[in-house]
Amino acid sequence: MHRIIICDDELQIGQLVQRKLIEYGMRRDIEIKTTIFTDAANMLRALPEQADLIFLDVEMPNMDGITAAAEVRKKLPDVNIIFLSGHKEYVFETFRVQAFRYLLKPLKEEELEEALDAIIVLRNHEERLEYRFQDENWSIPYRSIVYFEGMRGKIWIYCTGGKTYRWRGAMGEIAEKMKGRGFVMVHQSYVINMKKIHRYNSREIEMEGGAKIPISRLRLNDFKREYIKIIGGAVI
């Protein structure tokens, strides 16, 4: 399922985009869930833990779309953002918030469809952790995961931008599932993304974001071998 948020101060435009998304989903046999907001501040207050795509109007009262996108990035750093605008002059400003597309109003169906097709292709080719927790399906890009922490069957998944997700399972299962994807079990309670290491010594690893992860003495040599294999260079 693709979770899509639409934020435009003109409700009619939001509903038009919603209708086109539903029609697109029916043509492609894709399940799409949409939520419409007419105010950026309200959208930010209600922002869910996970979303695949956000349509943002550039020009809105109280808070413009580019400012809103910068706030969105703090909570959902990996979400795709498509800007909608009746003017071309804002397009370069959207680069700083990593816009996926900039579509001009009135919206052309072929441009919308091309953008959605590109997102679907990108999503389908990106490796993601897929799991079910509390009757909801979750999908997290591997590249955004910093590390896993487990205790008594509970697992926390720490991601870029300070995002945290929960799961139930055993750390051994996580280590096996993530093997060959750049993740290594360095302690019975931790599996880390080797590409998110900031620095390390023989006792602990400092990860992107500042978290310090202990290294088990029994796993230290395996960790060093994997570090050379995945990251390259010398080891301490």
Side-chain angles (χ1 to χ4, degrees):
M1 180 174 71
H2 296 264
R3 300 172 175 88
I4 300 177
I5 294 169
I6 305 160
C7 186
D8 195 301
D9 63 305
E10 295 184 63
L11 180 59
Q12 309 94 297
I13 292 178
Q15 291 172 333
L16 172 64
V17 174
Q18 181 185 52
R19 186 170 70 250
K20 289 183 179 296
L21 290 172
I22 292 170
E23 292 170 354
Y24 174 87
M26 292 175 66
R27 289 196 301 274
R28 295 289 194 273
D29 194 25
I30 297 170
E31 185 180 358
I32 292 176
K33 178 182 178 182
T34 59
T35 307
I36 299 176
F37 294 92
T38 56
D39 180 84
N42 288 340
M43 178 199 70
L44 291 171
R45 281 192 288 270
L47 204 62
E49 290 188 358
Q50 193 170 32
D52 299 298
L53 172 62
I54 300 179
F55 284 88
L56 274 174
D57 183 16
V58 174
E59 299 173 281
M60 292 186 286
N62 303 320
M63 183 185 294
D64 64 85
I66 296 171
T67 301
E71 293 301 312
V72 166
R73 285 275 174 240
K74 295 176 183 178
K75 188 174 181 181
L76 300 174
D78 299 310
V79 71
N80 292 303
I81 296 175
I82 293 179
F83 282 101
L84 305 173
S85 178
H87 306 280
K88 294 180 180 179
E89 61 263 31
Y90 300 108
V91 64
F92 292 108
E93 292 185 48
T94 66
F95 289 171
R96 63 184 172 88
V97 288
Q98 297 88 50
F100 186 81
R101 286 288 192 280
Y102 188 96
L103 301 181
L104 288 173
K105 301 176 183 178
L107 201 57
K108 294 179 181 178
E109 191 159 336
E110 61 271 20
E111 291 181 357
L112 173 63
E113 190 157 312
E114 186 278 331
L116 293 172
D117 282 345
I119 286 174
I120 299 302
V121 168
L122 182 67
R123 181 183 169 92
N124 288 344
H125 283 80
E126 182 177 49
E127 288 195 295
R128 305 173 75 90
L129 176 65
E130 310 273 354
Y131 69 97
R132 188 168 179 81
F133 178 68
Q134 293 184 340
D135 296 324
E136 286 195 66
N137 294 313
W138 297 88
S139 177
I140 307 171
Y142 289 145
R143 62 181 170 82
S144 72
I145 299 172
V146 179
Y147 67 96
F148 297 86
E149 180 181 14
M151 185 182 297
R152 298 175 184 171
K154 297 178 181 178
I155 295 172
W156 286 264
I157 307 169
Y158 295 90
C159 298
T160 53
K163 289 290 298 175
T164 305
Y165 301 91
R166 290 188 299 152
W167 194 5
R168 282 194 176 274
M171 288 303 292
E173 294 174 10
I174 290 291
E176 188 63 31
K177 188 177 184 69
M178 306 306 287
K179 187 180 291 185
R181 295 187 168 98
F183 290 77
V184 173
M185 192 172 196
V186 296
H187 183 280
Q188 65 178 0
S189 299
Y190 295 94
V191 171
I192 68 168
N193 184 343
M194 299 292 279
K195 295 180 180 178
K196 301 291 186 182
I197 293 173
H198 182 53
R199 59 173 169 237
Y200 76 92
N201 55 41
S202 60
R203 297 180 304 278
E204 66 181 15
I205 305 162
E206 184 176 333
M207 304 299 294
E208 177 185 303
K212 293 181 178 179
I213 309 298
I215 307 178
S216 164
R217 284 192 303 167
L218 296 174
R219 299 180 186 274
L220 181 59
N221 288 334
D222 288 340
F223 164 76
K224 288 182 177 181
R225 281 193 292 270
E226 288 299 316
Y227 188 91
I228 293 171
K229 188 189 302 182
I230 296 170
I231 306 299
V235 294
I236 299 171

